[in-house]
Amino acid sequence: MKPTEKNYVKLRITIVGSLFIVLFLAIIAKAFYIQVYQGPELSEKAEREIRKTMTVREKRGGIYDTNHHELAVSIDAVSIGAYPKQMKDRNEAASKLSKTLGLNPKAFKAKLAAGNGFKWVKRKVTPREVKAVREHSIAGIDFIPEHSRYYPQSTLAAQITGFTGLDGRGLEGVEFYYDAQLEGEDKKIVVMKDALGKKFDGAHGESLDSSARNLILTVDKTIQYITEKALEEAVKEHEAKLGMAVVMNPSTGAVYAIANYPFFNPNAYGRFDRSAYRNRAITDTFEPGSTMKIFSVAAAIEHGGCTPSTIFYCENGKYRVGKFTIHDTHEYGWLSVQKILKFSSNIGAMKISEMIGAEPLHQTFKGFGFGEPTGIDCPGEAPGALTPYQKWSQVHTGVVAFGHGMSATAIQLAAAVSAIANKGVLMKPYVVKAITDQKGNIVEEVKPKVVRRAVSEKTSEIMKEMMRSVVETGGTGTAAHIEGYAVCGKTGTARKVNKEGRYERGSYISSFVGFAPAESPIMTVLVVLDDPKNQYYGGTVAAPAFKKIVRESLDYMNIPPRNDVERLTAALGEVHP
């Protein structure tokens, strides 16, 4: 090889070697730049690609009856989500998922096509649906753990408990009223996912110890069942539009049961008419009719100087006031105050109102809580309507005395009658007696609350005796008589008011309210039927349901009949003279 050629080869080797050295140095420099200067930024970017922060809602607190039977609980559930960007064929995925999960194919395809971000496929699916979707092995599908609300008692106490929506928020009942306590807090967790969206170890985040609270109700599952069964039978037997019933402890205000018929199942609330969700005993008002004579008579005794034997002339069944004529169902002449209540004389109640005047009557009604909310811890409570007495005419004063020209809710009426049973003291009704943490420790305990004294203890005792006569022979409430127990009560029958504000001919609200045992009342019960057919007097259609509720509840509560107590006392007296 000639010297010139050798020099040329050496030159080429030198140039190529130099290029390799330069390239190598460039790679080292780039690596150094990336590692040192861009390292933190790129590491953060890579971490963002695999680290996904998820907000997880704590398991919602449970709702229990007074004996800790479950009314509402949260169970583990799975929801299905999709990451369209990771799907190989969105149309094929949409077709398979729509068929498996019962989705609208067209709408779901459009949903997947609208962007690459996360999409919900179906919330809270069944285990069978989860298995079927997994078998499809579709890329970009995620199975997300959630909690689903379950109501193990089905329709029982549904209007009290209420229900939650898909997002776990309370929508009705105490689920709504106590939503903040039940739902707890949202927690953030970090989930590690690879390029295919599959999770791998490394999840961490805030402590998942739940701050959600449980509710312990005053409601007794057994008394609630007894009440619902009796109400349903009454509504069906008399072909009423709907029915309401309230059972409460008159000395504390604790509600044992609130029933509304028709029922609904909160596990499938979407299948029922929205009107069925409403706790009508709290939200709906009606003209109480003759049950208000209890409070008119109480006003006469408390403010009018009357006694049970004070007599009024009842005009032989017809009494004209201005251009109006007031009627009684029978042609009564002279009646004592006690007989006015026992026979439920409208004219007698009007005569009482004329004697005592509008202001004392209004004052008494207000004292018993009419015209204002009771403050019960249930959503949507209506205040009822009781206009100022200054606006009452003579006729208005008279008709208010027998429960027309004003309105009340079932819970107001039950609470007011409970004041008679409770020595004249009005108590605030309530349905939650305690709030506990997830370990069962009491966080907040609800104590009975006195609202005010409605009437004197002496007046209440007189009223008790007169109300006992209503269910005895000759009274309007004999169908509520219970052998072995002393029962106090009052019937109510009122014409319904239509949308135009006029009384509807042939349409009535029928009711019966009372308490037992008379000597030491432990329960007040109100039954209301809306628009019963054929028969409509409260003593005929509502009193029998009252009787069933009281008799079966007293038996459940181990309150023996009076004659059994007397026999036991006599037997003990023979053994221990």
Side-chain angles (χ1 to χ4, degrees):
M1 181 179 295
K2 295 178 180 181
T4 307
E5 292 179 354
K6 286 182 179 180
N7 293 336
Y8 179 71
V9 171
K10 286 182 179 182
L11 180 61
R12 289 178 63 187
I13 292 172
T14 302
I15 292 171
V16 171
S18 298
L19 286 174
F20 273 112
I21 292 171
V22 170
L23 289 173
F24 182 70
L25 291 173
I27 291 171
I28 292 175
K30 183 66 174 177
F32 181 80
Y33 177 77
I34 292 172
Q35 186 68 28
V36 175
Y37 292 99
Q38 288 190 308
E41 180 184 345
L42 293 174
S43 295
E44 187 179 337
K45 184 177 181 181
E47 193 172 347
R48 285 200 302 266
E49 291 293 323
I50 63 171
R51 288 167 57 95
K52 304 293 183 184
T53 301
M54 296 180 63
T55 300
V56 177
R57 180 159 294 158
E58 293 178 338
K59 182 177 283 191
R60 192 174 176 85
I63 301 175
Y64 304 87
D65 87 333
T66 191
N67 296 312
H68 296 263
H69 295 119
E70 293 177 338
L71 297 177
V73 294
S74 289
I75 58 177
D76 292 336
V78 175
S79 290
I80 299 175
Y83 296 91
K85 185 179 180 179
Q86 299 170 12
M87 291 179 170
K88 295 178 181 179
D89 188 332
R90 297 188 191 187
N91 288 334
E92 182 183 356
S95 297
K96 288 181 178 180
L97 292 171
S98 297
K99 185 175 181 181
T100 302
L101 300 175
L103 306 174
N104 183 305
K106 186 177 180 180
F108 186 53
K109 284 181 182 180
K111 185 176 185 180
L112 290 182
N116 294 324
F118 174 82
K119 304 283 193 299
W120 283 114
V121 177
K122 189 173 182 179
R123 302 286 295 278
K124 298 172 184 177
V125 296
T126 65
R128 182 178 296 179
E129 289 174 323
V130 171
K131 182 181 178 183
V133 173
R134 286 189 188 279
E135 289 174 352
H136 288 313
S137 298
I138 300 172
I141 290 298
D142 199 3
F143 299 89
I144 301 164
E146 289 197 286
H147 299 116
S148 181
R149 205 61 165 163
Y150 176 61
Y151 302 91
Q153 307 300 332
S154 187
T155 60
L156 191 76
Q159 284 93 352
I160 301 174
T161 307
F163 55 85
T164 62
L166 269 179
D167 62 355
R169 307 283 184 184
L171 298 179
E172 294 285 347
V174 295
E175 288 272 32
F176 173 79
Y177 194 91
Y178 286 95
D179 187 59
Q181 290 86 346
L182 288 164
E183 72 172 354
E185 299 175 353
D186 289 344
K187 301 283 188 179
K188 293 186 182 297
I189 63 170
V190 177
V191 178
M192 312 299 281
K193 292 188 177 186
D194 62 19
L196 296 176
K198 294 181 180 179
K199 297 173 188 169
F200 59 89
D201 288 343
H204 62 278
E206 300 176 29
S207 169
L208 292 181
D209 289 342
S210 179
S211 62
R213 303 303 189 210
N214 301 318
L215 302 181
I216 312 298
L217 306 189
T218 59
V219 174
D220 187 298
K221 184 181 103 170
T222 301
I223 296 177
Q224 180 73 30
Y225 173 77
I226 290 168
T227 304
E228 288 188 6
K229 183 181 177 184
L231 181 65
E232 179 181 15
E233 289 173 354
V235 170
K236 289 182 176 179
E237 179 183 352
H238 299 288
E239 300 178 15
K241 181 180 177 182
L242 54 88
M244 299 175 283
V246 176
V247 184
M248 64 185 291
N249 185 322
S251 62
T252 66
V255 173
Y256 293 143
I258 297 178
N260 293 269
Y261 188 86
F263 308 137
F264 84 98
N265 186 347
N267 292 306
Y269 62 87
R271 300 176 187 173
F272 295 83
D273 188 87
R274 294 178 64 87
S275 63
Y277 308 161
R278 200 161 69 243
N279 192 346
R280 296 179 184 275
I282 309 296
T283 64
D284 289 17
T285 60
F286 57 94
E287 292 197 350
S290 293
T291 51
M292 291 302 295
K293 290 171 186 170
I294 297 170
F295 313 106
S296 300
V297 170
I301 293 169
E302 186 83 354
H303 302 292
C306 289
T307 69
S309 58
T310 303
I311 60 173
F312 292 87
Y313 183 58
C314 294
E315 307 288 343
N316 294 315
K318 288 184 180 181
Y319 182 42
R320 189 164 184 83
V321 181
K323 60 180 181 179
F324 299 96
T325 302
I326 309 302
H327 296 271
D328 274 339
T329 55
H330 296 84
E331 297 178 358
Y332 299 119
W334 290 95
L335 289 179
S336 66
V337 169
Q338 186 262 334
K339 292 289 179 66
I340 287 172
L341 193 67
K342 180 174 183 175
F343 300 150
S344 198
S345 168
N346 291 337
I347 296 172
M350 178 164 270
K351 289 292 186 81
I352 287 173
S353 74
E354 290 175 348
M355 187 201 75
I356 63 175
E359 185 175 358
L361 187 64
H362 187 275
Q363 178 185 339
T364 303
F365 284 8
K366 290 291 286 185
F368 278 104
F370 295 104
E372 63 187 27
T374 65
I376 189 171
D377 46 340
C378 291
E381 184 184 11
L386 183 66
T387 55
Y389 70 89
Q390 293 90 340
K391 296 181 179 180
W392 291 1
S393 64
Q394 182 185 2
V395 173
H396 192 108
T397 303
V399 297
V400 164
F402 54 85
H404 288 75
M406 52 89 66
S407 67
T409 62
I411 194 66
Q412 278 180 321
L413 185 54
V417 172
S418 291
I420 298 291
N422 190 37
K423 301 179 180 181
V425 177
L426 180 68
M427 303 299 293
K428 177 183 177 180
Y430 62 102
V431 298
V432 171
K433 72 175 186 179
I435 300 175
T436 71
D437 63 20
Q438 292 300 302
K439 295 179 181 179
N441 301 311
I442 294 178
V443 176
E444 181 181 343
E445 187 173 7
V446 180
K447 301 289 187 182
K449 182 178 180 181
V450 173
V451 178
R452 69 178 73 89
R453 174 168 287 285
V455 289
S456 68
E457 184 175 345
K458 180 181 178 181
T459 296
S460 73
E461 291 302 317
I462 293 171
M463 291 305 304
K464 281 184 188 178
E465 288 302 312
M466 288 194 286
M467 289 174 69
R468 285 181 67 170
S469 71
V470 172
V471 301
E472 293 171 353
T473 304
T476 57
T478 54
H481 174 75
I482 304 173
E483 189 65 35
Y485 296 98
V487 176
C488 300
K490 183 68 188 79
T491 56
T493 309
R495 294 259 297 273
K496 286 186 67 175
V497 179
N498 61 25
K499 294 178 180 179
E500 288 73 40
R502 298 178 181 177
Y503 288 106
E504 192 76 33
R505 185 175 298 276
S507 188
Y508 297 88
I509 294 288
S510 307
S511 60
F512 190 92
V513 64
F515 49 85
E519 316 84 51
S520 184
I522 61 170
M523 64 169 53
T524 298
V525 177
L526 166 66
V527 177
V528 181
L529 297 189
D530 185 344
D531 202 13
K533 302 297 185 290
N534 301 320
Q535 296 176 312
Y536 57 85
Y537 287 116
T540 304
V541 301
F546 168 93
K547 178 178 180 177
K548 288 179 184 177
I549 294 168
V550 172
R551 184 179 58 199
E552 293 182 27
S553 296
L554 290 177
D555 184 55
Y556 161 69
M557 298 171 82
N558 293 317
I559 308 298
R562 187 172 46 191
N563 49 7
D564 286 357
V565 175
E566 290 169 355
R567 283 196 296 269
L568 180 60
T569 303
L572 290 172
E574 292 174 4
V575 174
H576 303 285

